[in-house]
Amino acid sequence: MEYLVRMTFVDPGPLLGPDQAAQVVESLVVPSFKKLAELKASGKIRGGGAVAGARAAVFIADVADNAELDQLLLGIPLWRVVR
């Protein structure tokens, strides 16, 4: 089955200083894009990318069922800070 997934970054507001923002990029954003590239290479993601003008990404996941989609999403580091 194919699922359209949209991940929108949850803005923490002024609680995140510049050093912490850089840490988020290093620890969550970069590893997430690497993971998404791996999933695309394996065929689990058909296509997608960043949303222009937004802190968001979209992709089409090709998985067997909802349970497999859940596991795929939980394996993306950014999943805990997006909705």
Side-chain angles (χ1 to χ4, degrees):
M1 297 181 79
E2 293 182 342
Y3 294 85
L4 177 63
V5 178
R6 179 181 171 112
M7 300 187 315
T8 304
F9 181 68
V10 177
D11 190 355
L15 300 175
L16 199 61
D19 291 338
Q20 292 168 317
Q23 197 172 29
V24 167
V25 170
E26 289 176 14
S27 66
L28 295 176
V29 177
V30 172
S32 292
F33 279 104
K34 286 181 181 179
K35 180 66 175 182
L36 291 169
E38 290 171 12
L39 290 167
K40 184 164 182 352
S42 73
K44 291 295 179 184
I45 290 181
R46 295 282 176 134
V51 177
R55 292 183 191 167
V58 296
F59 60 87
I60 297 171
D62 188 5
V63 294
D65 53 29
N66 288 342
E68 186 178 354
L69 179 63
D70 286 343
Q71 291 304 307
L72 182 143
L73 295 174
L74 289 171
I76 300 170
L78 264 179
W79 189 247
R80 60 185 185 192
V81 294
V82 296
R83 58 178 168 90

